[in-house]
Amino acid sequence: MRIAIAEDSAILRDGLTALLHRRGHEVVVAVDNGTELLAAVEEQVAAGTPCDVAVLDVRMPPTFTDEGLRAALELRARHPEHGVLLFSQYVETRFATELLRGDARAIGYLLKDRVADVADFTDALERIAAGQTVLDPEVLSQLLRSSPERAALERLTSREQEVLELMALGRTNFAIAKALYLSAGAVEKNISSIFAKLDLPTDDAAHRRVLAVVRYLQR
């Protein structure tokens, strides 16, 4: 296989590269961020030698939040057939849900601490390259336990979550703006985004505000 790796831990990145090389696979690029991985994949595609699978950590520079997921989603948007494996230390159900929301073929999500055998890891890569979906059992279990309502809340940005928390405390838009040092327009924009992400009805703003708070309290 031809493999691209994006992993900010130099030790793990170099270790994966060496292990895959020893098993006859070619690591065409090994970088520490999603931006460079995307650029390298595009170069390979342009040269007519596309990679089979891209392995990405979820949290990478510069913010260490969801860079790997964003790169994976962008990669799949550009090349829907390209294999993608999220290789993370944690179960991130929101990330898994976003990645699997479209075509789930050639997609995998494995937990670093649960891969005990290198052969299992390479087998997973080969299955993804062949178009299969590979999920760690723990990832699958948590996805099944994650309700649609909770998944919707997890789609909110950190700022939107702050706004919703203050809404749940009964704060007005003016009070929210003052507490978070935002303009009135910014607060309204965040609230509109919250309503949209929670799929709330559009007919009554006051009613939607109550429903949003109820969703928050039931999380």
Side-chain angles (χ1 to χ4, degrees), residues 5 14-15 45 58 64 67 69 107 137 143 157 159 168 177 204 215:
I5 297 174
D14 292 348
V45 170
V58 169
F64 296 94
E67 286 80 7
L69 169 70
I107 286 177
L143 281 173
T157 66
R159 176 63 76 191
D204 187 335
R215 291 276 186 91

Side-chain angles (χ1 to χ4, degrees), residues 171-199:
R171 304 287 180 84
T172 64
N173 286 12
F174 176 79
I176 293 173
K178 186 176 180 180
L180 298 179
Y181 302 99
L182 297 174
S183 67
V187 172
E188 291 177 1
K189 183 177 180 180
N190 276 282
I191 291 176
S192 294
S193 180
I194 290 169
F195 291 163
K197 290 181 179 179
L198 296 184
D199 297 321

Side-chain angles (χ1 to χ4, degrees), residues 2 14 93 101 103 117 133 142 157 171 174 179 204 215:
R2 292 170 53 79
D14 292 348
T93 55
R101 184 172 291 123
D103 188 347
D117 193 320
T133 303
Q142 293 205 27
T157 66
R171 304 287 180 84
F174 176 79
D204 187 335
R215 291 276 186 91

Side-chain angles (χ1 to χ4, degrees), residues 1-71:
M1 291 179 294
R2 292 170 53 79
I3 301 165
I5 297 174
E7 165 61 59
D8 63 291
S9 168
I11 293 176
L12 181 55
R13 185 174 64 248
D14 292 348
L16 285 174
T17 300
L19 288 170
L20 290 168
H21 278 160
R22 284 204 296 269
R23 282 158 179 76
H25 303 297
E26 181 182 1
V27 177
V28 297
V29 59
V31 295
D32 67 354
N33 64 85
T35 301
E36 289 186 42
L37 179 132
L38 285 172
V41 167
E42 289 300 327
E43 288 182 7
Q44 297 297 320
V45 170
T49 55
C51 301
D52 296 297
V53 183
V55 180
L56 303 98
D57 188 9
V58 169
R59 301 179 180 182
M60 293 186 290
T63 67
F64 296 94
T65 53
D66 60 356
E67 286 80 7
L69 169 70
R70 294 185 187 188

